[in-house]
Amino acid sequence: MPVIQFFSDLMRDPRGFIAAAIAMGPLVAYGFVFLVVFIETGVVFFPFLPGDSLLFASGFFANGGGFNIMLLLPVVWLAAIGGDQCNFMIGQHFGQRIVASGKVKAMTPERIKMSEEFLEKWGKPAIFLGRFFPFIRTFVPFFAGMGGMHWRDFVVFNALGGLTWSSLFVLLGYFFGGIPFVQEHFELLVLGIIGVSVIPSVVGVVRSGLKKRKK
């Protein structure tokens, strides 16, 4: 399917997609980064978008490659914070119906359980901590809204998490993306970022499976 191929290519080569967007003009380039980050964090149907690696690649292009770091940072801040806030509201108003429908294929029972346990264990700080884990990053604000967390509590930890997560990966790309070794092995590094990010989710699924077997 063309859509699946598009997302697969985006995950494998975010730098190529950003370079193509920059060639079409700054409005398209900043808009592309904003849209991907916003959708990954804000729409529960797309938890597989490459937020971490895209932010890193964006930071790389902010070091003399077409982006201005002083413009890029506010763009990703707004996308990250606005996305989570949107996801919280979706969970608050439509969460029960979405889960009951079973139409979100990425929302497997294991991931639902893992997200709910993450929220139970960490409470309000889970909104901040969840930023650094794929899938959990998308599902935690959704379940926080569905579970009745007060919006004022959510806003505080959402802002802290959004600013920290997006700034961290953009600045890593900005300061280290220009190193020759990084440039030569950029695709491998992106795959490494995705792999390291996914490890906690995989561990959580394995643990859940082992617990079921013991029971």
Side-chain angles (χ1 to χ4, degrees), residues 75-107:
V75 167
V76 297
W77 291 341
L78 286 172
I81 295 171
D84 254 28
Q85 196 65 47
C86 174
N87 209 347
F88 176 82
M89 293 173 69
I90 291 173
Q92 191 175 47
H93 296 289
F94 309 106
Q96 298 290 350
R97 274 180 281 175
I98 290 173
V99 172
S101 72
K103 291 182 179 179
V104 185
K105 301 304 180 185
M107 196 179 285

Short mmCIF file of all heavy atoms in Angstrom, two decimals, residues 75-107:
data_model
loop_
_atom_site.label_atom_id
_atom_site.label_comp_id
_atom_site.label_asym_id
_atom_site.label_seq_id
_atom_site.Cartn_x
_atom_site.Cartn_y
_atom_site.Cartn_z
N VAL A 75 8.68 25.96 16.63
CA VAL A 75 7.79 25.13 15.80
C VAL A 75 7.60 23.76 16.45
O VAL A 75 6.47 23.27 16.59
CB VAL A 75 8.37 24.97 14.38
CG1 VAL A 75 7.64 23.85 13.61
CG2 VAL A 75 8.24 26.27 13.60
N VAL A 76 8.70 23.12 16.88
CA VAL A 76 8.57 21.78 17.48
C VAL A 76 7.96 21.85 18.88
O VAL A 76 7.28 20.92 19.32
CB VAL A 76 9.93 21.04 17.50
CG1 VAL A 76 10.42 20.81 16.07
CG2 VAL A 76 10.98 21.76 18.32
N TRP A 77 8.20 22.95 19.60
CA TRP A 77 7.56 23.12 20.92
C TRP A 77 6.03 23.15 20.75
O TRP A 77 5.31 22.46 21.47
CB TRP A 77 8.02 24.40 21.59
CG TRP A 77 9.46 24.40 22.02
CD1 TRP A 77 10.26 23.32 22.22
CD2 TRP A 77 10.26 25.55 22.30
NE1 TRP A 77 11.52 23.72 22.61
CE2 TRP A 77 11.55 25.08 22.66
CE3 TRP A 77 10.03 26.94 22.26
CZ2 TRP A 77 12.59 25.97 23.01
CZ3 TRP A 77 11.06 27.80 22.60
CH2 TRP A 77 12.33 27.32 22.98
N LEU A 78 5.57 23.97 19.82
CA LEU A 78 4.13 24.10 19.59
C LEU A 78 3.53 22.77 19.13
O LEU A 78 2.43 22.39 19.56
CB LEU A 78 3.85 25.19 18.55
CG LEU A 78 4.03 26.63 19.00
CD1 LEU A 78 3.91 27.58 17.81
CD2 LEU A 78 2.99 27.00 20.07
N ALA A 79 4.25 22.07 18.26
CA ALA A 79 3.75 20.80 17.75
C ALA A 79 3.65 19.76 18.86
O ALA A 79 2.64 19.04 18.97
CB ALA A 79 4.67 20.28 16.63
N ALA A 80 4.70 19.67 19.69
CA ALA A 80 4.73 18.66 20.75
C ALA A 80 3.68 18.94 21.83
O ALA A 80 2.95 18.04 22.25
CB ALA A 80 6.12 18.60 21.37
N ILE A 81 3.61 20.17 22.28
CA ILE A 81 2.67 20.53 23.35
C ILE A 81 1.23 20.51 22.82
O ILE A 81 0.32 19.95 23.45
CB ILE A 81 3.01 21.91 23.93
CG1 ILE A 81 4.38 21.86 24.63
CG2 ILE A 81 1.94 22.37 24.92
CD1 ILE A 81 4.92 23.22 25.05
N GLY A 82 1.02 21.10 21.64
CA GLY A 82 -0.32 21.12 21.06
C GLY A 82 -0.82 19.72 20.71
O GLY A 82 -2.00 19.41 20.87
N GLY A 83 0.08 18.87 20.24
CA GLY A 83 -0.29 17.51 19.89
C GLY A 83 -0.78 16.73 21.09
O GLY A 83 -1.84 16.08 21.04
N ASP A 84 -0.03 16.77 22.18
CA ASP A 84 -0.44 16.05 23.39
C ASP A 84 -1.75 16.60 23.94
O ASP A 84 -2.58 15.84 24.46
CB ASP A 84 0.66 16.15 24.46
CG ASP A 84 1.41 14.83 24.61
OD1 ASP A 84 1.49 14.08 23.62
OD2 ASP A 84 1.93 14.54 25.71
N GLN A 85 -1.93 17.92 23.87
CA GLN A 85 -3.16 18.51 24.36
C GLN A 85 -4.36 18.03 23.54
O GLN A 85 -5.43 17.74 24.09
CB GLN A 85 -3.07 20.04 24.31
CG GLN A 85 -4.12 20.76 25.13
CD GLN A 85 -3.97 20.51 26.63
OE1 GLN A 85 -2.88 20.60 27.17
NE2 GLN A 85 -5.06 20.15 27.28
N CYS A 86 -4.17 17.93 22.24
CA CYS A 86 -5.21 17.42 21.36
C CYS A 86 -5.54 15.97 21.70
O CYS A 86 -6.71 15.58 21.77
CB CYS A 86 -4.74 17.55 19.91
SG CYS A 86 -5.84 16.81 18.69
N ASN A 87 -4.49 15.17 21.93
CA ASN A 87 -4.67 13.76 22.26
C ASN A 87 -5.43 13.59 23.58
O ASN A 87 -6.28 12.71 23.73
CB ASN A 87 -3.31 13.09 22.34
CG ASN A 87 -3.35 11.62 21.98
OD1 ASN A 87 -4.41 11.02 21.89
ND2 ASN A 87 -2.20 11.05 21.77
N PHE A 88 -5.10 14.43 24.54
CA PHE A 88 -5.78 14.41 25.85
C PHE A 88 -7.27 14.67 25.66
O PHE A 88 -8.12 13.98 26.25
CB PHE A 88 -5.16 15.48 26.75
CG PHE A 88 -5.82 15.62 28.09
CD1 PHE A 88 -5.52 14.77 29.14
CD2 PHE A 88 -6.74 16.64 28.32
CE1 PHE A 88 -6.13 14.91 30.39
CE2 PHE A 88 -7.36 16.79 29.56
CZ PHE A 88 -7.04 15.91 30.60
N MET A 89 -7.61 15.64 24.82
CA MET A 89 -9.02 15.99 24.60
C MET A 89 -9.75 14.89 23.84
O MET A 89 -10.92 14.62 24.09
CB MET A 89 -9.10 17.32 23.85
CG MET A 89 -8.61 18.51 24.67
SD MET A 89 -8.52 20.04 23.73
CE MET A 89 -10.26 20.36 23.47
N ILE A 90 -9.04 14.24 22.91
CA ILE A 90 -9.65 13.11 22.19
C ILE A 90 -9.99 12.00 23.18
O ILE A 90 -11.08 11.43 23.15
CB ILE A 90 -8.70 12.58 21.09
CG1 ILE A 90 -8.58 13.61 19.95
CG2 ILE A 90 -9.20 11.25 20.54
CD1 ILE A 90 -7.53 13.25 18.92
N GLY A 91 -9.04 11.69 24.07
CA GLY A 91 -9.29 10.67 25.09
C GLY A 91 -10.41 11.06 26.03
O GLY A 91 -11.23 10.22 26.41
N GLN A 92 -10.47 12.33 26.38
CA GLN A 92 -11.47 12.83 27.32
C GLN A 92 -12.88 12.71 26.75
O GLN A 92 -13.83 12.34 27.46
CB GLN A 92 -11.15 14.28 27.65
CG GLN A 92 -11.94 14.87 28.81
CD GLN A 92 -11.46 16.28 29.12
OE1 GLN A 92 -11.28 17.11 28.24
NE2 GLN A 92 -11.23 16.56 30.40
N HIS A 93 -13.03 13.01 25.46
CA HIS A 93 -14.38 13.07 24.87
C HIS A 93 -14.77 11.82 24.08
O HIS A 93 -15.96 11.51 23.98
CB HIS A 93 -14.48 14.29 23.96
CG HIS A 93 -14.34 15.60 24.68
ND1 HIS A 93 -15.31 16.10 25.52
CD2 HIS A 93 -13.33 16.51 24.69
CE1 HIS A 93 -14.90 17.26 26.02
NE2 HIS A 93 -13.71 17.53 25.54
N PHE A 94 -13.78 11.12 23.52
CA PHE A 94 -14.11 9.99 22.65
C PHE A 94 -13.38 8.70 23.03
O PHE A 94 -13.49 7.71 22.32
CB PHE A 94 -13.77 10.34 21.18
CG PHE A 94 -14.34 11.65 20.72
CD1 PHE A 94 -13.52 12.76 20.56
CD2 PHE A 94 -15.69 11.78 20.45
CE1 PHE A 94 -14.04 13.97 20.13
CE2 PHE A 94 -16.22 12.98 20.01
CZ PHE A 94 -15.40 14.09 19.86
N GLY A 95 -12.61 8.73 24.12
CA GLY A 95 -11.75 7.60 24.47
C GLY A 95 -12.46 6.27 24.57
O GLY A 95 -12.03 5.27 23.97
N GLN A 96 -13.55 6.22 25.33
CA GLN A 96 -14.26 4.96 25.53
C GLN A 96 -14.75 4.38 24.21
O GLN A 96 -14.65 3.18 23.96
CB GLN A 96 -15.45 5.18 26.48
CG GLN A 96 -15.07 5.64 27.89
CD GLN A 96 -14.38 4.54 28.69
OE1 GLN A 96 -14.35 3.39 28.28
NE2 GLN A 96 -13.85 4.90 29.85
N ARG A 97 -15.28 5.23 23.36
CA ARG A 97 -15.81 4.76 22.08
C ARG A 97 -14.69 4.26 21.16
O ARG A 97 -14.86 3.26 20.44
CB ARG A 97 -16.58 5.88 21.38
CG ARG A 97 -18.05 5.97 21.83
CD ARG A 97 -18.78 7.08 21.12
NE ARG A 97 -18.48 8.38 21.69
CZ ARG A 97 -18.90 9.53 21.20
NH1 ARG A 97 -19.63 9.56 20.10
NH2 ARG A 97 -18.61 10.67 21.79
N ILE A 98 -13.56 4.96 21.16
CA ILE A 98 -12.43 4.55 20.30
C ILE A 98 -11.89 3.20 20.74
O ILE A 98 -11.65 2.31 19.91
CB ILE A 98 -11.32 5.62 20.33
CG1 ILE A 98 -11.79 6.88 19.60
CG2 ILE A 98 -10.03 5.09 19.69
CD1 ILE A 98 -10.84 8.06 19.70
N VAL A 99 -11.68 3.01 22.04
CA VAL A 99 -11.17 1.73 22.54
C VAL A 99 -12.16 0.62 22.26
O VAL A 99 -11.79 -0.48 21.81
CB VAL A 99 -10.87 1.82 24.05
CG1 VAL A 99 -10.51 0.44 24.61
CG2 VAL A 99 -9.73 2.79 24.32
N ALA A 100 -13.44 0.87 22.51
CA ALA A 100 -14.48 -0.15 22.30
C ALA A 100 -14.62 -0.54 20.83
O ALA A 100 -14.95 -1.69 20.51
CB ALA A 100 -15.82 0.35 22.83
N SER A 101 -14.35 0.40 19.93
CA SER A 101 -14.50 0.12 18.50
C SER A 101 -13.45 -0.86 17.99
O SER A 101 -13.69 -1.60 17.04
CB SER A 101 -14.41 1.42 17.69
OG SER A 101 -13.07 1.91 17.67
N GLY A 102 -12.27 -0.85 18.61
CA GLY A 102 -11.18 -1.72 18.18
C GLY A 102 -10.59 -1.35 16.84
O GLY A 102 -9.86 -2.14 16.22
N LYS A 103 -10.88 -0.14 16.35
CA LYS A 103 -10.41 0.26 15.02
C LYS A 103 -8.97 0.75 15.01
O LYS A 103 -8.36 0.86 13.94
CB LYS A 103 -11.34 1.35 14.47
CG LYS A 103 -12.73 0.83 14.12
CD LYS A 103 -13.60 1.91 13.53
CE LYS A 103 -14.98 1.37 13.16
NZ LYS A 103 -15.87 2.42 12.60
N VAL A 104 -8.42 1.09 16.17
CA VAL A 104 -7.02 1.52 16.23
C VAL A 104 -6.16 0.27 16.40
O VAL A 104 -5.97 -0.23 17.51
CB VAL A 104 -6.78 2.51 17.39
CG1 VAL A 104 -5.35 3.03 17.36
CG2 VAL A 104 -7.76 3.68 17.30
N LYS A 105 -5.67 -0.26 15.28
CA LYS A 105 -4.96 -1.53 15.31
C LYS A 105 -3.68 -1.46 16.13
O LYS A 105 -3.25 -2.47 16.71
CB LYS A 105 -4.63 -1.97 13.88
CG LYS A 105 -5.86 -2.13 12.97
CD LYS A 105 -6.86 -3.10 13.56
CE LYS A 105 -8.09 -3.25 12.67
NZ LYS A 105 -9.13 -4.09 13.29
N ALA A 106 -3.06 -0.28 16.18
CA ALA A 106 -1.83 -0.15 16.97
C ALA A 106 -2.10 -0.21 18.47
O ALA A 106 -1.21 -0.44 19.26
CB ALA A 106 -1.12 1.16 16.63
N MET A 107 -3.37 -0.01 18.84
CA MET A 107 -3.75 -0.01 20.25
C MET A 107 -4.07 -1.45 20.68
O MET A 107 -5.22 -1.82 20.92
CB MET A 107 -4.93 0.91 20.49
CG MET A 107 -5.15 1.27 21.96
SD MET A 107 -6.56 2.40 22.16
CE MET A 107 -5.87 3.95 21.59
#
